Amino acid sequence: MTEQDHVTVNDPRAPVYSGGGHQYVFYGRPDWMIRKGVESLRIVREDRARLADRFVRPTGYRDAAERLEKPGSVVLLSAEPGSGRRAAAIMLLHELGEDGDADGEPVRFDELPATDKDPAKGEPPFSPAEGDRYLLDLSGISGEESYAQAQRRLAVYRSQVREAEAHMVVVLPSGMAHAHAPDLAPDTVELGRPRGTAVVTRYLRMDRIPFRSGDLRNADLQLLFDRSPMRELARFAGLVRTARDSRRFGTDTAGWLDQALHAVTDRAGEVREQMATVCATPDRALLLTTAVFEEALADTVYEAWHALMGKVGHKEDDEATELARTAFGESLRALGIERGPDGRLRFERLAYADAVRTYFWTNFPGVRDDLRDWIGQATSLRGLTADDRTNVVVRFCERSLAVARPDHLFDLVVRWAGRATGTSCDPLAVQALELGLSHERFGGWFRQRMYDCVRSGSLSDGLARVLIAACVQSLAATHPDQALVRLHHLSVRKGRVGLEAGGALLGLAGRDRVLYRLLIDRLRDRIRREQREPEPHLRLLTELLASSRAPDPPPWPDLFLGWEAVFSQPPTEHWNPLVRGWLNAAADDSTREMALGVMVRATHGRTAALHRLYAIACGWAGPARQTSRAAVAALFWQHIDDAQYARTGSSERGGAGPRTTEEAP
């Protein structure tokens, strides 16, 4: 069982086509994150299934699961840090059943903000529905005042979850039992720590690593298993797999276990010892460069090394020629760096590069700005492959966020986005932003920066495209409501980027009834509030209300509200395809004939709107009154007649055919 840093979500079930412009297709977390072994911080179904394969139930888990089964239930978990309490919360929700209700509609699986000071603003209110599942992780809360605020927020969530018959699991902070509200006690369950040996055994089996029970009885391993947090045990098992896959550390499990044990227990101390003897700037720069660009070609690392020395202000001896300096290969060997048969560089010891990066970012805060600028430029080196660049982005992200500098990562997002040409979208910028969004601690910070950017008038097209891609590929899987808000802001921009964002927005709303309803409400609100310039929102709303985008079966109350907003405005060019589309739908499927009456009622009898609907139907039916369309047109005209009669109170009615009316301008 691992205590993963995961954030929420409604997982996608099919590719998403965003209409005109770029097509964004995604399945759960981005493929590059999976290939690079990046731990996704989402709770998409694929990640939950992987966690389920490796999960070891702690004591108290069964009690929590039984309590959570009841609709409207809220379970609070009390456990020590490192016990896998977050993973347990995720699994409790996951094991409630499939990600759909009795009618096959997806249920939400979201993480809720822990405090009222959640940095992501401008979002829709919390509105749970029956069967939805929510995680509230308060484990990061410290201080009685902060915890008191979190409990007030918890009280609101709990009330709404119970009323909606949803489910919620809350991870309580440790060491704060004295500050728990009394009414929390009946819903609280104590969890124990699972056996470390059982956790590692499960991981090794899932990774198909052969081992004997005696392999795990080493005293040092037992100490690790008994005392380490679940996250550290998951890392240990991952390093065993890495040792096996690298084929550099023998062919027996005992050797892999030994390498992994040293990697998690000794590497930090080994780096400190090496740094005590390596004092020259070139040598330290070469250590750091190799740690960041490990597995890249030696010549490319050489270029990056000299770029770093220039960035930190090191001036080489002008009198010494290249041939007079120490050979590059000798410098590598002296530092414990090997050049493989493929020409790529790597440290001799497993996970040594991780420890080197950690050492420099932790102990040299004064050069972090230089490192950011160096990474921003060095990723353009010609010798780097796409995988090399992704590795560098992942490593820089890990270190920048570990030292609480999310601004450094976003600076590079902006920088890389700006170098895109035409309608392209810089992949490194997207990857960096996705990593920031998926971070447990700083995900909200990145969502807020995105929100600020999309509301800015100075946003470049390159950055706008990166934000669109991040919304569709990442944010839509973890915080779909927030992705919708940001795409909406981008969609009202002028030009091609606005159209691309609009296509992505409509594609996102079209795959989820809740999002569909939310976008209708949001667009209606904007049309009312921006009477002087409602056109961008009106255009989006009419496209959203098209028969081809409506969920099946159509949500008639939602469509009525949307059509009501459209028909409250003066007739526009958007009316024609909207109405004709639903007339076609009614002609092809009798179950959609209800659209005819709903559309007419949405006009509230306004003469100009009724005249326009009548004229559109006349054009659609054609002068020859095609048999296949005549019945639908006649029914539509009848609804229009009824609406006009109800408005005027006239007792005289026309014949069976359509009334002659004048088209409104």
Side-chain angles (χ1 to χ4, degrees), residues 24-44:
Y24 303 106
V25 178
F26 63 98
Y27 298 89
R29 54 178 156 159
D31 177 66
W32 70 268
M33 295 181 81
I34 298 172
R35 289 186 290 105
K36 290 294 142 191
V38 177
E39 280 297 325
S40 170
L41 302 185
R42 311 175 192 162
I43 314 175
V44 291

Side-chain angles (χ1 to χ4, degrees), residues 298-335:
D299 286 358
T300 305
V301 175
Y302 182 86
E303 289 185 66
W305 173 38
H306 281 270
L308 175 58
M309 287 193 289
K311 186 61 65 177
V312 298
H314 175 73
K315 295 183 179 179
E316 299 187 56
D317 186 356
D318 294 334
E319 297 181 0
T321 65
E322 180 75 12
L323 293 177
R325 300 189 181 104
T326 303
F328 185 47
E330 290 297 326
S331 297
L332 294 174
R333 280 190 290 274
L335 296 173

Side-chain angles (χ1 to χ4, degrees), residues 646-657:
R647 181 178 178 85
T648 62
S650 172
S651 59
E652 295 185 6
R653 305 297 303 277

Side-chain angles (χ1 to χ4, degrees), residues 385-408:
T385 66
D387 278 355
D388 291 335
R389 292 188 173 91
T390 296
N391 284 334
V392 172
V393 172
V394 170
R395 293 162 185 168
F396 177 75
C397 170
E398 289 173 344
R399 289 301 96 219
S400 294
L401 298 185
V403 296
R405 292 305 304 264
D407 55 310
H408 277 183

Side-chain angles (χ1 to χ4, degrees), residues 581-603:
W582 279 101
L583 289 172
N584 285 330
D588 295 337
D589 182 356
S590 60
T591 64
R592 295 205 165 197
E593 287 183 355
M594 185 178 292
L596 309 179
V598 175
M599 274 196 294
V600 171
R601 289 198 300 275
T603 66

Side-chain angles (χ1 to χ4, degrees), residues 115-137:
T115 69
D116 291 314
K117 296 181 180 179
D118 180 46
K121 300 176 181 177
E123 313 309 339
F126 177 56
S127 55
E130 182 180 356
D132 286 349
R133 290 171 270 177
Y134 297 96
L135 169 65
L136 177 60
D137 190 349

